[in-house]
Amino acid sequence: MIEVQDLVKTFGFRGTTTALDHVTFSVPDRARFGLLGASASGKSTVLRILSTSLRPTSGSARVGGHDIVEEPDKVRKQIGYMPQDAEMRAWSTGRDYLRFWARMCGLSAEAQRERIDHVAGFLSLEAALEQDPPSYTVDLQRAMSLAQAILSDPKVLLLDELLEGVSESGRRFFLGRFEQLASEGRTLVMSTPLLADVRAVCDQVAVMSEGHVTRVFTVTELLRKIGEGKDARVFIDAEDVPAEAIAALRTLKGVVDVRIAPTSTILYVTPTEIEMEAIRRTLEAHRVSFRGIRTAQLKLGDVFSALNA
Amino acid sequence: MFDSILQPAIAYARKDFLEAIRDRRLIAVSIILGAILIGTSAAVASFMVSTTTPGSGAGNVPDPFDVWLNGTSGVLTGIAFGVTTVVLPFLPMLAASRGLERDRARGIYQLSLAKPIPPWGPALGKFVGLYAALAIPTVAISGGVVFAIYAVAGAFPSGGLLGVFVGASVILVGLYLLLTLCVGAFLPQELVGPLALLVWVGFNALEQTGFYITARFMTILGADQAVTYQSAWTDLATFTGLYHGLLAPAVPGELGFVVGTFDVAQVVPWAILVWFVGVYFAYAILLWRMPSR
């Protein structure tokens, strides 16, 4: 469905800044493909090029067999693109925003109404359609932006950091919708800096760093490489945690591994399964004196460390 | 196919019209430019003399600066030929530049490029939306010029000249708007203003230079000096020349400001149409070119 070959993108005077450096990967039809990488790793640039809104410096990319530079009009008929930052201040209501983009898909007046009602129902946006976009929460902004991307009922969805900043309930909502969109036969390509997103949505992932694709994995391969379930961490700030407390922590649901660091104890956990209160109760039962408990997503640095090991 | 052009055109026209009429900077600049033009008109009208004075142009035929003070029509002719083309273009240049800047800064332009439509609709819609918004201050300013002359001199300029002045001002604004949009479609945002300004300088300076060179050469070739001198006010290569070409036939005969027999005056409306269509196509194609950054 998507083939990217030796894609290079440079910016600045005489191309001094390299955003993409000979990026190559392919995405099969109906795949759920992730671009995993830190900020400025080139994920958004890849998506912009695939969306035909940015010309590559060299290399080629094809969507559905059509070259993005030679046949952009044919590519555009197949894609729905959701950029990272969707600006909605120009419109007074959500309906105005969606009507603008429905018109920009060349839909007739009747088709516009039908598609707007359909996507609003699909993303539970009925109430938001009549609200002022600046009043939207991050979850609503993302949902509205996703709605504009699926207005034309595209075969390929390019989603740039859709889950960034959304609430936990919003995240669950979007994951459910992704499932449905994928089950309708669409190809999903999403970028994210979070391993947990890739784990939840994708079946394949290209790990990106400084404009390179380090390697393309199946998600199972990647998780096996870095340690199954190690997609989030809980830090217990305490100097002396006795061995029996460590053993008890290991038995808690959602805990994958426990490591001892100089000033804290680190639990590698599965975020959807772990209960913070259970950790607290276990520590108190073993009379462990701790200053606090903190959580953090597994950093991309940890991913790259594991990949380079 | 029809919807793929019409619907995007409506989308952009509506958005840009609403944004432009709420744009505070554009409103402020409209007020300033209006004050300059209306103030100048009132000042000139206050020096108006009622008798026609012989011109000092070639062949003793009065050029616009000589008819400047001859009655209210003379004042309006002077303002139209001497001031309007210099002052008014700043309005469309600003509107076009800010319209493009808004779309780029908000990612609307980039996202538009990913949509399955040809370029003609968004390009037309953006132009129409901004033009509709600019028509309001343009008519208000040109109408204000006429009323300022009336308020000071106690009489309206000739009806024909008055109507053509307002209409030609609207056309002048449209031409500059489209050209700035075209320039902005391929230039980085920071260069749109400066290049539009260069075009403005070029068109105004070019028109004046062309005017004198044409007159000189045609005289050398044996043409009637007076007629050549007057006809040369019209040229088809600059917006200033086209504006003058529209206005010249409407100047009342008693002012002695002759258009001459030069055929250019008759083709001015066609030349304007060619400019509009040509620049629109160039603008649409450049706008939908896949950007490199």
Side-chain angles (χ1 to χ4, degrees), chain B residues 125-143:
Chain B
K126 189 157 197 70
F127 169 68
V128 169
L130 290 173
Y131 198 12
L134 285 180
I136 299 166
T138 306
V139 170
I141 291 170
S142 49

PDB file of all heavy atoms in Angstrom, chain B residues 125-143:
ATOM      1  N   GLY B 125     -11.708  30.953  -4.353  1.00  0.00           N
ATOM      2  CA  GLY B 125     -12.416  31.272  -3.109  1.00  0.00           C
ATOM      3  C   GLY B 125     -11.645  32.261  -2.255  1.00  0.00           C
ATOM      4  O   GLY B 125     -12.219  33.203  -1.693  1.00  0.00           O
ATOM      5  N   LYS B 126     -10.341  32.040  -2.159  1.00  0.00           N
ATOM      6  CA  LYS B 126      -9.531  32.951  -1.343  1.00  0.00           C
ATOM      7  C   LYS B 126      -9.583  34.364  -1.921  1.00  0.00           C
ATOM      8  O   LYS B 126      -9.736  35.348  -1.191  1.00  0.00           O
ATOM      9  CB  LYS B 126      -8.089  32.445  -1.277  1.00  0.00           C
ATOM     10  CG  LYS B 126      -7.236  33.204  -0.293  1.00  0.00           C
ATOM     11  CD  LYS B 126      -6.055  32.407   0.167  1.00  0.00           C
ATOM     12  CE  LYS B 126      -5.484  33.001   1.428  1.00  0.00           C
ATOM     13  NZ  LYS B 126      -6.332  32.831   2.592  1.00  0.00           N
ATOM     14  N   PHE B 127      -9.441  34.440  -3.239  1.00  0.00           N
ATOM     15  CA  PHE B 127      -9.480  35.752  -3.891  1.00  0.00           C
ATOM     16  C   PHE B 127     -10.846  36.419  -3.695  1.00  0.00           C
ATOM     17  O   PHE B 127     -10.922  37.584  -3.286  1.00  0.00           O
ATOM     18  CB  PHE B 127      -9.165  35.592  -5.387  1.00  0.00           C
ATOM     19  CG  PHE B 127      -9.432  36.839  -6.182  1.00  0.00           C
ATOM     20  CD1 PHE B 127      -8.643  37.974  -6.001  1.00  0.00           C
ATOM     21  CD2 PHE B 127     -10.469  36.892  -7.092  1.00  0.00           C
ATOM     22  CE1 PHE B 127      -8.897  39.133  -6.718  1.00  0.00           C
ATOM     23  CE2 PHE B 127     -10.736  38.039  -7.813  1.00  0.00           C
ATOM     24  CZ  PHE B 127      -9.944  39.163  -7.626  1.00  0.00           C
ATOM     25  N   VAL B 128     -11.897  35.676  -3.952  1.00  0.00           N
ATOM     26  CA  VAL B 128     -13.246  36.252  -3.855  1.00  0.00           C
ATOM     27  C   VAL B 128     -13.556  36.700  -2.426  1.00  0.00           C
ATOM     28  O   VAL B 128     -14.101  37.787  -2.195  1.00  0.00           O
ATOM     29  CB  VAL B 128     -14.312  35.239  -4.364  1.00  0.00           C
ATOM     30  CG1 VAL B 128     -15.714  35.699  -4.019  1.00  0.00           C
ATOM     31  CG2 VAL B 128     -14.176  35.036  -5.863  1.00  0.00           C
ATOM     32  N   GLY B 129     -13.184  35.869  -1.446  1.00  0.00           N
ATOM     33  CA  GLY B 129     -13.440  36.205  -0.046  1.00  0.00           C
ATOM     34  C   GLY B 129     -12.735  37.487   0.374  1.00  0.00           C
ATOM     35  O   GLY B 129     -13.337  38.385   0.980  1.00  0.00           O
ATOM     36  N   LEU B 130     -11.441  37.576   0.033  1.00  0.00           N
ATOM     37  CA  LEU B 130     -10.680  38.779   0.397  1.00  0.00           C
ATOM     38  C   LEU B 130     -11.169  40.000  -0.390  1.00  0.00           C
ATOM     39  O   LEU B 130     -11.262  41.110   0.147  1.00  0.00           O
ATOM     40  CB  LEU B 130      -9.190  38.545   0.133  1.00  0.00           C
ATOM     41  CG  LEU B 130      -8.494  37.550   1.064  1.00  0.00           C
ATOM     42  CD1 LEU B 130      -7.057  37.276   0.596  1.00  0.00           C
ATOM     43  CD2 LEU B 130      -8.454  38.066   2.505  1.00  0.00           C
ATOM     44  N   TYR B 131     -11.512  39.767  -1.664  1.00  0.00           N
ATOM     45  CA  TYR B 131     -11.952  40.872  -2.514  1.00  0.00           C
ATOM     46  C   TYR B 131     -13.274  41.449  -1.993  1.00  0.00           C
ATOM     47  O   TYR B 131     -13.458  42.678  -1.931  1.00  0.00           O
ATOM     48  CB  TYR B 131     -12.105  40.368  -3.943  1.00  0.00           C
ATOM     49  CG  TYR B 131     -12.127  41.446  -5.006  1.00  0.00           C
ATOM     50  CD1 TYR B 131     -11.765  42.764  -4.730  1.00  0.00           C
ATOM     51  CD2 TYR B 131     -12.479  41.144  -6.313  1.00  0.00           C
ATOM     52  CE1 TYR B 131     -11.765  43.729  -5.709  1.00  0.00           C
ATOM     53  CE2 TYR B 131     -12.484  42.106  -7.309  1.00  0.00           C
ATOM     54  CZ  TYR B 131     -12.127  43.398  -7.006  1.00  0.00           C
ATOM     55  OH  TYR B 131     -12.121  44.364  -7.983  1.00  0.00           O
ATOM     56  N   ALA B 132     -14.169  40.534  -1.608  1.00  0.00           N
ATOM     57  CA  ALA B 132     -15.463  40.993  -1.081  1.00  0.00           C
ATOM     58  C   ALA B 132     -15.251  41.827   0.187  1.00  0.00           C
ATOM     59  O   ALA B 132     -15.901  42.858   0.390  1.00  0.00           O
ATOM     60  CB  ALA B 132     -16.365  39.806  -0.799  1.00  0.00           C
ATOM     61  N   ALA B 133     -14.312  41.372   1.020  1.00  0.00           N
ATOM     62  CA  ALA B 133     -14.037  42.115   2.257  1.00  0.00           C
ATOM     63  C   ALA B 133     -13.398  43.470   1.955  1.00  0.00           C
ATOM     64  O   ALA B 133     -13.679  44.461   2.633  1.00  0.00           O
ATOM     65  CB  ALA B 133     -13.135  41.290   3.164  1.00  0.00           C
ATOM     66  N   LEU B 134     -12.537  43.510   0.928  1.00  0.00           N
ATOM     67  CA  LEU B 134     -11.853  44.773   0.589  1.00  0.00           C
ATOM     68  C   LEU B 134     -12.768  45.745  -0.146  1.00  0.00           C
ATOM     69  O   LEU B 134     -12.527  46.959  -0.125  1.00  0.00           O
ATOM     70  CB  LEU B 134     -10.636  44.484  -0.290  1.00  0.00           C
ATOM     71  CG  LEU B 134      -9.421  43.891   0.413  1.00  0.00           C
ATOM     72  CD1 LEU B 134      -8.306  43.657  -0.591  1.00  0.00           C
ATOM     73  CD2 LEU B 134      -8.925  44.837   1.502  1.00  0.00           C
ATOM     74  N   ALA B 135     -13.787  45.209  -0.795  1.00  0.00           N
ATOM     75  CA  ALA B 135     -14.694  46.095  -1.541  1.00  0.00           C
ATOM     76  C   ALA B 135     -15.368  47.084  -0.592  1.00  0.00           C
ATOM     77  O   ALA B 135     -15.645  48.228  -0.979  1.00  0.00           O
ATOM     78  CB  ALA B 135     -15.739  45.254  -2.271  1.00  0.00           C
ATOM     79  N   ILE B 136     -15.587  46.642   0.645  1.00  0.00           N
ATOM     80  CA  ILE B 136     -16.274  47.525   1.609  1.00  0.00           C
ATOM     81  C   ILE B 136     -15.441  48.793   1.887  1.00  0.00           C
ATOM     82  O   ILE B 136     -15.917  49.909   1.659  1.00  0.00           O
ATOM     83  CB  ILE B 136     -16.597  46.759   2.913  1.00  0.00           C
ATOM     84  CG1 ILE B 136     -17.534  45.577   2.599  1.00  0.00           C
ATOM     85  CG2 ILE B 136     -17.207  47.681   3.963  1.00  0.00           C
ATOM     86  CD1 ILE B 136     -17.653  44.570   3.729  1.00  0.00           C
ATOM     87  N   PRO B 137     -14.173  48.649   2.372  1.00  0.00           N
ATOM     88  CA  PRO B 137     -13.402  49.884   2.604  1.00  0.00           C
ATOM     89  C   PRO B 137     -13.070  50.642   1.326  1.00  0.00           C
ATOM     90  O   PRO B 137     -12.971  51.871   1.343  1.00  0.00           O
ATOM     91  CB  PRO B 137     -12.129  49.392   3.296  1.00  0.00           C
ATOM     92  CG  PRO B 137     -12.033  47.949   2.998  1.00  0.00           C
ATOM     93  CD  PRO B 137     -13.445  47.457   2.829  1.00  0.00           C
ATOM     94  N   THR B 138     -12.922  49.904   0.205  1.00  0.00           N
ATOM     95  CA  THR B 138     -12.577  50.601  -1.051  1.00  0.00           C
ATOM     96  C   THR B 138     -13.722  51.529  -1.475  1.00  0.00           C
ATOM     97  O   THR B 138     -13.494  52.696  -1.834  1.00  0.00           O
ATOM     98  CB  THR B 138     -12.288  49.581  -2.179  1.00  0.00           C
ATOM     99  OG1 THR B 138     -11.296  48.681  -1.718  1.00  0.00           O
ATOM    100  CG2 THR B 138     -11.798  50.272  -3.429  1.00  0.00           C
ATOM    101  N   VAL B 139     -14.944  51.014  -1.436  1.00  0.00           N
ATOM    102  CA  VAL B 139     -16.103  51.842  -1.801  1.00  0.00           C
ATOM    103  C   VAL B 139     -16.278  52.977  -0.780  1.00  0.00           C
ATOM    104  O   VAL B 139     -16.560  54.121  -1.145  1.00  0.00           O
ATOM    105  CB  VAL B 139     -17.385  50.973  -1.900  1.00  0.00           C
ATOM    106  CG1 VAL B 139     -18.627  51.842  -2.040  1.00  0.00           C
ATOM    107  CG2 VAL B 139     -17.281  50.008  -3.074  1.00  0.00           C
ATOM    108  N   ALA B 140     -16.030  52.636   0.503  1.00  0.00           N
ATOM    109  CA  ALA B 140     -16.168  53.662   1.545  1.00  0.00           C
ATOM    110  C   ALA B 140     -15.144  54.781   1.348  1.00  0.00           C
ATOM    111  O   ALA B 140     -15.475  55.966   1.463  1.00  0.00           O
ATOM    112  CB  ALA B 140     -16.003  53.024   2.924  1.00  0.00           C
ATOM    113  N   ILE B 141     -13.912  54.394   1.032  1.00  0.00           N
ATOM    114  CA  ILE B 141     -12.855  55.405   0.859  1.00  0.00           C
ATOM    115  C   ILE B 141     -13.115  56.246  -0.392  1.00  0.00           C
ATOM    116  O   ILE B 141     -13.055  57.485  -0.348  1.00  0.00           O
ATOM    117  CB  ILE B 141     -11.459  54.734   0.784  1.00  0.00           C
ATOM    118  CG1 ILE B 141     -11.083  54.155   2.145  1.00  0.00           C
ATOM    119  CG2 ILE B 141     -10.394  55.742   0.321  1.00  0.00           C
ATOM    120  CD1 ILE B 141      -9.855  53.266   2.123  1.00  0.00           C
ATOM    121  N   SER B 142     -13.401  55.571  -1.514  1.00  0.00           N
ATOM    122  CA  SER B 142     -13.611  56.350  -2.756  1.00  0.00           C
ATOM    123  C   SER B 142     -14.889  57.194  -2.646  1.00  0.00           C
ATOM    124  O   SER B 142     -14.921  58.343  -3.120  1.00  0.00           O
ATOM    125  CB  SER B 142     -13.640  55.439  -3.988  1.00  0.00           C
ATOM    126  OG  SER B 142     -14.497  54.355  -3.780  1.00  0.00           O
ATOM    127  N   GLY B 143     -15.889  56.636  -1.974  1.00  0.00           N
ATOM    128  CA  GLY B 143     -17.095  57.440  -1.727  1.00  0.00           C
ATOM    129  C   GLY B 143     -16.777  58.600  -0.804  1.00  0.00           C
ATOM    130  O   GLY B 143     -17.280  59.722  -0.995  1.00  0.00           O
TER     131      GLY B 143
END
